[in-house]
Amino acid sequence: MKQSRRSIIISYIILAFATAIVLLPFFWMLVSSFKSQRELFAYPPKFFPSVWKWENYRQVLNAGRITFFEMFLNSMKVTIPVVVFNIIFSSLAAYAFARIEFPFRKFLFMLFISSMMIPSAVTMIPRFLLFSNLKLVDTYAPLILPSAFGTAFSIFLLRQFFMTIPVDLEEAAVIDGCGKLRIWATIMLPLSKPIIATLGVFLFQGSYNDFMNPLIYLNTDTKFTVQLGLASFRNSFSTRYDLIMAGSMLALIPVLVIYILCQKYIVRGIVMSGLKG
Amino acid sequence: MASITFKNVSKVYPGDVKAVTDLNLEIKDKEFVILVGPSGCGKSTTLRMIAGLEEITQGELYIGDRLVNDVHPKDRDIAMVFQNYALYPHMTVYKNMAFGLQLRKVPKDEIKRRVTEVAKILDIEHLLDRKPKALSGGQRQRVALGRAMVRNPQVFLLDEPLSNLDAKLRTAMRSELIKLHKRLETTFVYVTHDQIEAMTMGDRIVVMNDGFMQQVDTPQNLYNYPANLFVAGFIGAPQMNFLDAIVKVEGGETIVDFSGNYQFTLTGEKAHKLKPYAGKVVVAGIRPENIKIPEAGELSDYKTKALVEITELMGSEIYVYLDCYGEKLICRTPSDTIVTPDSRIEIAFDINKMHFFDKETEKAICH
């Protein structure tokens, strides 16, 4: 069916409007990051700064006890292990849940999935006590370990995808001489690139943007991650919104880069899981 | 040596679903054996048991002299071609073919030599760098075959390998597979539900139904001497015509009576074998080509009348759908025969080619 010209124009207008609504805060953050503190709160508000203050960015990069770049490295020390280990262990578990017959498989899977229903606030204090007893507070371990060995969401997502991969491929691999572990590594993982890329972005974003856990577990300011660093522009005496805006812009860059790199997979991943799942 | 021997093999799936029951079969070395039957008859399960993809519930399976019940698929020295080819989508054709050899730690040069050689035989040399999704159905089929061939297995297992191809390609691949079998001189076990494939390709055919083996024989013998009603009905297209008949013995002569409408006197072996069935109903089977439309004046003792319902011109022959006293019959006759729908005509049975089956046991009485 061919759409009429008018309906196309109308749908474009609606989409453009919706896009504008979504992008407006982002745009506001961008222009604000170049404003002075005073201009930020000027009334009536001004859209563009009278003077573009690149100074904000220089200040952010070198503020505090450690530089922004060092905070970024700290974030990576947490985020990269989370992404890598989570994908490895979740996909192993997902493969087992998808393809290997074992007693209580369905029940265990449902049990696993139901753990997603537990609000994180409930486990926050027991978890802190646990890590405190293990003497791991003020290290990155409490930020990495809980999700490194697989999380219910990742396992669920990967399992659903694995189930769409034809069993024949696996049987062909068995006849070719593969064991389970090799099937996982040489057949399942390469075929799951789209979903792994999607999951990777979710995990990266989740871990990188995490503010609560670093706040709870990290005390030494040289260990601060980006999100904690941003918060330190706000203290009991003043809040440097101009610097927070500039810092947020910088903090956004890694997520954007990862998203752009994985974008073609993400779209495909969502489409594929939609069609076959 | 790569014969395959089934000794009382059964496969029962969880929930007491019997897929294969008490299978005894010996497949000789270098033989091309076809497993055929309707869907769910256990033919694929049988093949998968040879491959080691299904565990054997009961009985013993030998490849050569070796009991393989508990041998891992990769150690059985078999190769399998799957119905949907099961090519690894993320690997090139070359890698697809080399994968099994790599896992067996075959030296790189040797892998290259074998893959190129097989690619040459199958005429897929120019495709080696492509990925499966860039290939046509026929090309994928060849790659799947090639992947099996590079391994030089003792046994080839083929699971409906032609069913995803279009009709023309299927015919071409059929003869290529026969040539390939001659060239490779290995045992082929081939599963299909297509009886034309079965008839044209196999040295021997195993007909299966409901998990039971019905008959094993050469295509010719299966066609001419079906062991029971199922085989008689399954092999041959259009299907064999079946008619109920009462056996009567009058004055020493054996007569088969078709619902009182017409009756034939039997002679020779048929008469002798049907005698014990006097007074009982048997099933008479006659293939469409053995029902003739006699020309005017032609004499036959085995004639009756029928109404022509429709005719189908198939090119060199015509299928005539008949109503013979309420029984539906199909007759296959040369295309120069003149038959007009809705006319009443005379038909003649070739009594020598008529098969008789026991109505209760469904086993053949005589052919």
Side-chain angles (χ1 to χ4, degrees), chain A residues 165-180 182-183 185-191 193 268, chain B residues 48 51 53 72-74 78-80 82-84 86-91 96 99-100 103-105 147 151:
Chain A
I165 295 176
V167 183
D168 282 9
L169 283 180
E170 232 174 296
E171 293 181 337
V174 167
I175 288 177
D176 268 340
C178 286
K180 294 269 182 239
R182 202 190 287 268
I183 291 176
T186 57
I187 309 291
M188 300 311 256
L189 286 191
L191 288 178
K193 270 187 216 152
R268 214 196 308 166
Chain B
R48 291 166 58 83
L53 296 172
H72 192 268
K74 72 168 195 274
I78 45 114
M80 186 155 166
F82 291 83
Q83 178 171 7
N84 54 15
L87 299 176
Y88 310 123
H90 57 299
M91 298 185 194
N96 261 289
F99 190 59
L103 292 180
R104 283 173 175 73
K105 308 238 159 28
R147 181 169 67 179
R151 298 243 317 273

Side-chain angles (χ1 to χ4, degrees), chain A residues 161 194-195 198 265-277:
Chain A
F161 192 85
I195 204 73
T198 311
Y265 288 116
I266 291 174
V267 174
R268 214 196 308 166
I270 291 166
V271 168
M272 281 174 84
S273 48
L275 277 179
K276 294 183 187 167

Side-chain angles (χ1 to χ4, degrees), chain A:
Chain A
M1 206 176 75
K2 217 179 155 188
Q3 277 180 306
S4 74
R5 218 184 147 76
R6 212 171 73 189
S7 73
I8 292 175
I9 292 172
I10 290 173
S11 52
Y12 267 84
I13 290 172
I14 294 172
L15 284 173
F17 185 66
T19 311
I21 291 177
V22 172
L23 286 181
L24 193 68
F26 180 76
F27 184 74
W28 189 250
M29 183 168 89
L30 180 69
V31 289
S32 300
S33 72
F34 290 102
K35 288 177 188 167
S36 67
Q37 181 86 326
R38 186 177 311 152
E39 217 170 7
L40 251 170
F41 294 101
Y43 190 84
K46 285 170 76 180
F47 219 80
F48 292 104
S50 49
V51 182
W52 291 77
K53 260 188 83 186
W54 289 89
E55 171 68 16
N56 287 347
Y57 281 86
R58 206 184 54 81
Q59 240 179 306
V60 166
L61 283 170
N62 298 308
R65 288 265 314 273
I66 57 169
T67 63
F68 190 85
F69 184 68
E70 282 167 314
M71 290 192 292
F72 175 72
L73 282 186
N74 287 342
S75 279
M76 288 303 112
K77 281 181 203 159
V78 174
T79 302
I80 290 173
V82 164
V83 172
V84 172
F85 288 117
N86 187 297
I87 287 175
I88 291 175
F89 288 107
S90 297
S91 62
L92 279 170
Y95 178 54
F97 279 127
R99 285 295 159 78
I100 299 172
E101 286 288 339
F102 56 88
F104 309 116
R105 180 171 79 159
K106 264 208 176 123
F107 172 74
L108 286 172
F109 182 68
M110 293 317 289
L111 196 67
F112 223 109
I113 293 305
S114 63
S115 73
M116 281 200 287
M117 308 297 164
I118 303 170
S120 62
V122 172
T123 56
M124 196 179 278
I125 291 167
R127 187 188 278 184
F128 180 82
L129 292 176
L130 179 77
F131 281 113
S132 167
N133 287 334
L134 289 170
K135 307 246 176 308
L136 289 173
V137 174
D138 205 25
T139 69
Y140 294 129
L143 308 180
I144 298 170
L145 290 178
S147 56
F149 295 104
T151 43
F153 175 72
S154 311
I155 293 172
F156 172 73
L157 199 68
L158 287 165
R159 171 187 177 262
Q160 297 311 100
F161 192 85
F162 286 169
M163 286 180 25
T164 65
I165 295 176
V167 183
D168 282 9
L169 283 180
E170 232 174 296
E171 293 181 337
V174 167
I175 288 177
D176 268 340
C178 286
K180 294 269 182 239
L181 213 55
R182 202 190 287 268
I183 291 176
W184 168 78
T186 57
I187 309 291
M188 300 311 256
L189 286 191
L191 288 178
S192 308
K193 270 187 216 152
I195 204 73
I196 288 176
T198 311
L199 183 60
V201 172
F202 284 154
L203 289 167
F204 184 92
Q205 204 191 336
S207 170
Y208 181 80
N209 288 344
D210 187 14
F211 172 69
M212 203 55 164
N213 284 310
L215 182 71
I216 295 172
Y217 291 107
L218 299 180
N219 302 326
T220 317
D221 51 8
T222 50
K223 288 178 183 166
F224 276 12
T225 61
V226 171
Q227 307 304 332
L228 274 187
L230 283 182
S232 65
F233 292 119
R234 210 182 129 197
N235 56 39
S236 7
F237 305 108
S238 67
T239 298
R240 293 295 304 274
Y241 283 106
D242 50 344
L243 298 189
I244 290 179
M245 290 300 155
S248 300
M249 278 314 294
L250 291 174
L252 252 177
I253 293 171
V255 177
L256 279 179
V257 169
I258 295 280
Y259 180 77
I260 290 165
L261 285 179
C262 297
Q263 192 200 23
K264 70 170 184 183
Y265 288 116
I266 291 174
V267 174
R268 214 196 308 166
I270 291 166
V271 168
M272 281 174 84
S273 48
L275 277 179
K276 294 183 187 167

Side-chain angles (χ1 to χ4, degrees), chain B residues 187-205:
Chain B
T187 314
F188 270 48
V189 185
Y190 187 110
V191 162
T192 181
H193 61 264
D194 182 324
Q195 47 145 322
I196 297 174
E197 278 173 29
M199 294 295 280
T200 51
M201 296 171 78
D203 294 328
R204 283 196 303 160
I205 299 176

Side-chain angles (χ1 to χ4, degrees), chain B residues 111-123:
Chain B
I111 294 179
K112 190 164 186 201
R113 193 187 63 74
R114 283 209 230 168
V115 171
T116 341
E117 189 186 301
V118 168
K120 207 178 273 175
I121 296 173
L122 292 172
D123 202 17

